[in-house]
Amino acid sequence: MFRIKFNLIWSKVNECCSHVIPGIIYPWPYKKPSEIGLALLWFTCCHCTIQSEPEVSGEGVIQTELQRTVTLLCLPDGGSETQADEELVWLRNGAVVSLREENKKGRSSVCVTPVIHEDNGATFTCHLSRNATIRASVTLNVTYHPQLSGSEEVAVEDESALVLRCDIWANPPVSSVSWTLNGSAVDLFAGGFTVTNDGFTSQLTASNVEKSVHEGTYQCTANSPVYGEHSKRFQVTLTEKTMKFPLMPMIAGLVVVIFTVLLAVVSRWSKITKLPNNCLKRVLKRQMSLNCNVLICKNEDVNDFFI
């Protein structure tokens, strides 16, 4: 279930929402350096600050959820020159975010909307265009519950294999997963069940199923430390075993028979064309019939045809 292309992700990162974070940037007082034989070095900015909605934590992490909107505002701080002249650059996981010209100088904002799974762990960095070492970064922590809900009907033949899967992918990860059959915990030993869990999917399997043992209502329940329990049901019905028609062997046999007949006709075609019409029909009939032992034609070439 992670499979979103890079351009789809970037289509969500837009320049927007500067009004979401209130505040006005006032220019710093500007003083021209004195020229009294002493060279002074003036810094227009000593660092950058990122404000956000939701707020960023002290560790530089923004907590959010799926389908929400995250607004980021970058401001150059400190210095003695006008901040409105500072050009800013945004990066997402090291890649440059395209900005409009009016959204580059003095202050710059980006929005992530709606937040999706692939935004989890994404790092947004803002730095000065003239000095990339003056920067600030924040990281998104997107929380979501396992996508478990509803029910599904499953039909399985007797003596075949049963496979049930639950999507338990969540952030933070689920703390536990349980399987029940008709309201009771699945008896792994009695039913010959096997349960596997890779952190993304929980799978319940059983081979050589029997109606009296394996038919019923199964339920997969995942427990999230943040979102609680989520579950999905499977209504499993066992059907009688059917004889499977050997289609491929039958087709292969039919092809062999057809090619054999065609080769027989082609190998004798020169003799067939010399026979009279009536006799030709009888010859072809003789060629296709196994019950005809004797064929009499007025043309003497018929005897040579079957030699």
Side-chain angles (χ1 to χ4, degrees), residues 231-250:
S231 61
K232 180 179 180 179
R233 292 186 178 183
F234 300 86
Q235 186 62 48
V236 177
T237 304
L238 268 69
T239 60
E240 294 183 0
K241 188 176 182 179
T242 58
M243 294 296 295
K244 297 187 181 299
F245 185 72
L247 182 61
M248 295 306 296
M250 291 290 291

Side-chain angles (χ1 to χ4, degrees), residues 57-68:
S57 69
E59 293 78 22
V61 177
I62 299 174
Q63 300 287 344
T64 186
E65 296 180 332
L66 293 178
Q67 303 303 313
R68 298 291 182 88

Side-chain angles (χ1 to χ4, degrees), residues 7-223:
N7 60 351
L8 178 58
I9 296 175
W10 283 114
S11 65
K12 306 187 314 85
V13 181
N14 304 310
E15 310 162 40
C16 62
C17 307
S18 58
H19 63 280
V20 175
I21 305 177
I24 302 175
I25 306 303
Y26 294 96
W28 289 88
Y30 174 76
K31 296 181 180 180
K32 185 176 180 181
S34 175
E35 300 177 358
I36 315 177
L38 178 64
L40 299 178
L41 181 61
W42 294 83
F43 296 93
T44 59
C45 181
C46 60
H47 65 278
C48 292
T49 300
I50 295 179
Q51 298 178 7
S52 69
E53 176 62 35
E55 291 185 2
V56 60
S57 69
E59 293 78 22
V61 177
I62 299 174
Q63 300 287 344
T64 186
E65 296 180 332
L66 293 178
Q67 303 303 313
R68 298 291 182 88
T69 296
V70 175
T71 305
L72 305 175
L73 175 63
C74 181
L75 304 171
D77 293 340
S80 58
E81 291 188 358
T82 306
Q83 292 176 326
D85 292 334
E86 291 290 357
E87 184 172 331
L88 302 170
V89 176
W90 278 100
L91 307 176
R92 183 188 191 277
N93 292 337
V96 176
V97 178
S98 179
L99 301 173
R100 294 191 299 265
E101 287 299 323
E102 60 270 21
N103 191 28
K104 290 182 178 180
K105 290 188 176 182
R107 56 187 289 163
S108 180
S109 62
V110 295
C111 285
V112 183
T113 182
V115 173
I116 60 175
H117 290 93
E118 285 69 22
D119 291 321
N120 184 40
T123 298
F124 287 83
T125 301
C126 174
H127 68 78
L128 298 185
S129 176
R130 63 177 177 81
N131 188 350
T133 62
I134 301 177
R135 60 174 54 202
S137 297
V138 294
T139 301
L140 302 187
N141 183 33
V142 183
T143 60
Y144 46 88
H145 58 74
Q147 302 299 310
L148 293 177
S149 62
S151 61
E152 179 181 343
E153 294 186 359
V154 180
V156 184
E157 288 186 359
D158 269 326
E159 301 180 7
S160 62
L162 171 66
V163 180
L164 303 177
R165 296 183 179 90
C166 273
D167 182 5
I168 60 171
W169 181 35
N171 184 36
V174 298
S175 56
S176 64
V177 181
S178 61
W179 287 88
T180 61
L181 172 57
N182 297 326
S184 301
V186 171
D187 190 332
L188 300 181
F189 180 77
F193 291 101
T194 301
V195 177
T196 58
N197 185 347
D198 61 3
F200 297 93
T201 303
S202 179
Q203 180 172 287
L204 177 70
T205 59
S207 58
N208 198 25
V209 295
E210 300 177 10
K211 187 179 183 70
S212 59
V213 178
H214 299 96
E215 187 174 69
T217 301
Y218 292 78
Q219 181 169 299
C220 167
T221 302
N223 192 356

